[in-house]
Amino acid sequence: MTIRVRLTALSVAGAAALGLLAAPAIAAPNRPDTADRVEVFGHRGASGYRPEHTLASYELAARMGADYIEPDLVPTKDGVLVARHENEIGGTTDVATHPEFADRKTTKVIDGVEMTGWFTEDFTLAELKTLRATERIPDIRPNNTIYNGRFEVPTFQEVLDLRARLSKELRREIGVAPETKHPSYFAKLGLPLEPGVVKTLNDNGLNRPNAKVVVQSFEVGNLKELNRQLRVNLVQLISNTGAPQDFIEAGDPRTYADLVKPEGLREIAGYADVIGPDTKVILPVNPDGYLTEPTTVVADAHQAGLQVVPYTVRAENSFLPADFRSSTDQTAYGDVFSFFHALFDQGIDGIFSDNPDIAVAARDEHEAATAGR
Ligand code: G3P
Ligand code: CA
C-alpha cells in the first residue's frame, strides 16, 4: 500500500475521468518493492490478544509489526474523543460493577437499533477514567480475560502519544487509522466527532499529506466534510449489508452494494482515497459460510483510483469462512494463513486484522511466494 500523497478531490475525479488511473502502481499483486507491500492494520490494536481499544492492545499491535493501529472514536459528555468501538460501554468495560453509575443505565436508539446499557456521552472523561476495560468476547477469547480490569479507556490524544513514542523506539513510523463512529447520531446530540478529529490531528502536526494517517467512516457525508478540512487520506468503509446511516436518514435509497458498483466507486474517489470493505464484499460466502466466486470490486476500485483495505481477519474458527475452519470448536484457530492468502491473491492494498502478528507473517510469506511471478 502506498498512500504517500493526498490526492485532491479534483485531481482524482479528473484523472479518473481521463482514464489516467487505470493502472495504479499499487494494483499489482506482485510487490517486489517493500514500499508497495500490503500494509497491516492492527484492528482495535492487537485485539486477538488484549482487550480491544486499550493502549496495551495498540502497543502490542505495533510491536508485532502492524503498520497502522486503529482507534474507533466516540465522544464523552465533555466532548473528549475516546477509543471505543461503540458508545455503549457495558460490553467492554467494568461499568456494570460501579454502583455509583447504576442510575446511568438507560435505553437509547443508535442508528435505528435499540440498545440498553451505559453510554460514553453520559460520562465525563474523569468519570470514564475510573472504569477499566474488559474483554468483549470472553467465550471466544478466554485468555484475554486475565487482562480485565487492568487498562483504562484511552483518549485519542493518548493513542497519538503512544504512536509517537513507539515510532521513535521502533524506528519506523507507526500509522494511525481513526474511525468516526456514528457521526450522524453524535452530530444530532451536539457532540460532533469531526471538529475533534481535525483539531487533534492539527495539534499533533498530523494534518498533512504525507502523514501516516487515514481517517475512516461508514457514513458518506462526514467523510465529504472531512475531505474539505483534512489533508490526510480518507477511507470509505463498506459493509456487506445495508446502507450508510446518513443516506438512510436523508432518504437516499443507495446501499453499500450500490457504492461498490463502478459508478459508486467513481463517486467515492471524489472525496476518499481508500475503500475499506467487509471481506465478504471481495470474497463472498454462500449460506453455509463457504467461499464462492470473488467479486470484481478490487479491480473496479483500482480502476477508479481507490486502494482497498478490507476488514477483518480473525484467527478463530468462529470468524473464518467455512473453507478454513479447523473444527467445530469456535475458539480454536483455523487455517487463517489460507484466508489471508486468498485475500492477498485479489491484489488488496492492506488488511485489518485482530492478529497483526499472523497478518505480518502471512504477508511476508505471500510476498516471498509471489516474488518474480
Ligand atoms: O474500520 C475497519 C473496521 O474496523 C470496521 O469495522 O465495526 O470493527 O469498526 P468495525
Ligand atoms: Ca473500526
Side-chain angles (χ1 to χ4, degrees):
M1 181 173 175
T2 311
I3 307 179
R4 295 195 191 90
V5 178
R6 174 74 168 95
L7 299 176
T8 64
L10 186 64
S11 66
V12 170
L18 293 169
L20 300 178
L21 300 175
I26 43 74
N30 299 331
R31 294 178 176 81
D33 177 357
T34 55
D36 286 341
R37 69 187 348 183
V38 176
E39 292 201 288
V40 171
F41 288 65
H43 184 246
R44 312 182 195 176
S47 54
Y49 312 106
R50 296 289 185 275
E52 67 185 36
H53 291 311
T54 59
L55 292 183
S57 183
Y58 300 130
E59 177 162 353
L60 184 59
R63 293 191 185 285
M64 285 178 160
D67 299 289
Y68 285 80
I69 54 176
E70 195 241 352
D72 294 325
L73 299 177
V74 292
T76 64
K77 186 178 183 178
D78 42 350
V80 181
L81 294 176
V82 294
R84 291 288 91 190
H85 179 259
E86 58 276 294
N87 49 329
E88 199 292 304
I89 49 175
T92 60
T93 74
D94 60 2
V95 65
T97 69
H98 285 249
E100 71 275 24
F101 297 135
D103 63 353
R104 306 275 175 100
K105 188 174 185 181
T106 187
T107 299
K108 303 191 183 203
V109 177
I110 318 290
D111 294 354
V113 178
E114 187 173 285
M115 300 194 74
T116 296
W118 292 262
F119 297 85
T120 58
E121 65 267 27
D122 297 331
F123 290 75
T124 64
L125 179 64
E127 290 172 333
L128 209 57
K129 282 292 188 181
T130 68
L131 308 180
R132 292 295 178 269
T134 57
E135 172 55 43
R136 170 192 293 279
I137 43 175
D139 292 345
I140 294 176
R141 293 174 174 164
N143 292 343
N144 293 4
T145 64
I146 67 167
Y147 298 101
N148 284 358
R150 292 191 150 73
F151 309 125
E152 295 179 7
V153 173
T155 64
F156 184 30
Q157 182 59 56
E158 288 169 339
V159 177
L160 295 184
D161 291 344
L162 174 76
R163 186 205 84 89
R165 176 169 69 77
L166 289 174
S167 295
K168 271 187 193 156
E169 181 194 325
L170 300 175
R171 297 184 180 197
R172 64 185 176 89
E173 189 172 6
I174 307 298
V176 63
E179 181 188 343
T180 55
K181 284 293 187 191
H182 309 299
S184 289
Y185 170 81
F186 286 119
K188 277 182 278 184
L189 280 188
L191 289 169
L193 300 161
E194 297 76 20
V197 170
V198 173
K199 181 177 187 315
T200 309
L201 293 177
N202 276 332
D203 289 351
N204 289 269
L206 289 172
N207 187 10
R208 51 187 165 77
N210 60 347
K212 203 169 171 73
V213 177
V214 293
V215 177
Q216 320 167 66
S217 180
F218 276 107
E219 293 193 15
V220 173
N222 84 314
L223 275 185
K224 287 184 174 176
E225 181 186 332
L226 287 168
N227 184 43
R228 291 188 278 273
Q229 301 179 58
L230 291 178
R231 302 172 76 202
V232 302
N233 294 288
L234 303 181
V235 181
Q236 177 66 65
L237 294 169
I238 307 278
S239 173
N240 62 316
T241 60
Q245 183 63 23
D246 57 326
F247 279 17
I248 293 170
E249 294 183 14
D252 187 325
R254 288 175 297 167
T255 64
Y256 286 116
D258 294 321
L259 289 185
V260 290
K261 291 175 182 162
E263 185 184 343
L265 292 166
R266 280 193 296 274
E267 178 177 336
I268 293 171
Y271 61 87
D273 312 273
V274 183
I275 59 166
D278 188 302
T279 59
K280 294 187 188 73
V281 174
I282 294 167
L283 296 177
V285 295
N286 66 22
D288 293 326
Y290 287 91
L291 294 178
T292 58
E293 277 298 300
T295 68
T296 60
V297 166
V298 176
D300 293 345
H302 287 162
Q303 181 75 22
L306 294 161
Q307 301 199 28
V308 183
V309 183
Y311 67 90
T312 301
V313 177
R314 302 172 164 109
E316 294 90 351
N317 285 323
S318 180
F319 303 111
L320 289 169
D323 315 62
F324 306 123
R325 293 175 199 154
S326 59
S327 69
T328 56
D329 178 352
Q330 298 297 293
T331 70
Y333 281 11
D335 181 11
V336 66
F337 271 90
S338 290
F339 189 32
F340 277 120
H341 286 301
L343 287 161
F344 296 152
D345 283 342
Q346 295 302 309
I348 61 173
D349 305 290
I351 184 71
F352 287 95
S353 179
D354 288 10
N355 308 91
D357 54 342
I358 306 174
V360 168
R363 184 268 311 276
D364 293 350
E365 187 178 88
H366 191 264
E367 253 177 28
T370 55
R373 240 192 227 175

